[in-house]
Amino acid sequence: MRVYVPLTLSGLTEAHKTGELGSGPLVAYAVTPALREWYDSEDIEELEYAALGQAALASLRLLDADRDAPRRRVVVAVDVADRIVDPDPDRDRENDAAEPGEVRVTGRVALAKAAAVHVDADGAEAAVAAAAEALAAADGGDGGARSVVEGAEDHELLWFAPQEIPNLLGS
C-alpha cells in the first residue's frame, strides 16, 4: 500500500541519519474507504493526490508544533506491506478530528522504501510560515485564517527521487 508520511525538513534529516521514518506507529495518509467517500472519485491518481494533500496539511501541523523547523512542508511517499497499515475505518466516523485517509503504520518504515519525497519550493516558505501560524485559528473556524492556510495549499509540492534527499538536505 502506498502511504504518505508527513514530516518536516528536520524530520527528514533525522530519517536520513537513521535510515527509517520511524518505528511506528506513524500517522500517514492513504487511499482508504473514508477518503474515497470524502473525495467522491474512483480515479486512483486523484485519490492519491487527495491523500498527499491530507499529508501536506499534517506536515503543516508538524511545522506549527516545531517552530525551529524550516517552513517547508515535507511528505514522503512510501510503499509498505498492507499488514502494517491500520486504516481503522471506525475511527473516521467516531473521531471528528480524524482526517479522511488517515492511517496508522504500525511497523518500521525504511527510508530506502520511499518512492518519492515531496517538498515545498523555497518560494513557498512565507506562505507556509503564515499558514502554520494561522492553523489554530483556522481550526477554530476563523474564515480569514482558513484562507491563509489555503494560501499554502496553493503551492504545489515539488517531487524528488529518494536518491536526491542528500542534495535536498544540503549534505
Side-chain angles (χ1 to χ4, degrees), residues 12-166:
L12 184 60
T13 298
E14 184 62 24
H16 182 63
K17 285 180 194 171
T18 65
E20 62 182 40
L21 295 173
S23 58
L26 298 172
V27 172
Y29 296 83
V31 177
T32 64
L35 182 75
R36 286 178 188 275
E37 183 179 319
W38 173 75
Y39 198 74
D40 194 29
S41 174
E42 289 303 315
D43 184 319
I44 192 64
E45 288 183 15
E46 286 182 16
L47 291 164
E48 287 180 345
Y49 187 76
L52 173 65
Q54 292 297 329
L57 180 59
S59 176
L60 193 60
R61 292 185 187 291
L62 295 173
L63 288 171
D64 182 43
D66 183 358
R67 303 289 180 172
D68 295 329
R71 306 284 92 181
R72 293 167 70 189
R73 297 168 298 166
V74 177
V75 176
V76 178
V78 61
D79 295 318
V80 298
D82 290 352
R83 65 179 157 54
I84 69 166
V85 178
D86 178 13
D88 195 5
D90 293 334
R91 186 181 66 244
D92 287 342
R93 286 191 291 275
E94 293 173 5
N95 180 1
D96 291 338
E99 297 290 340
E102 184 177 316
V103 298
R104 298 274 184 250
V105 180
T106 59
R108 294 187 181 279
V109 179
L111 185 58
K113 297 284 185 183
V117 178
H118 303 273
V119 181
D120 277 309
D122 292 340
E125 286 184 1
V128 170
E133 223 23 70
L135 199 53
D139 287 345
D142 183 316
R146 182 69 204 146
S147 180
V148 173
V149 171
E150 289 170 358
E153 294 170 0
D154 289 342
H155 292 271
E156 292 289 327
L157 296 174
L158 302 177
W159 181 95
F160 294 91
Q163 60 267 29
E164 294 179 278
I165 293 172

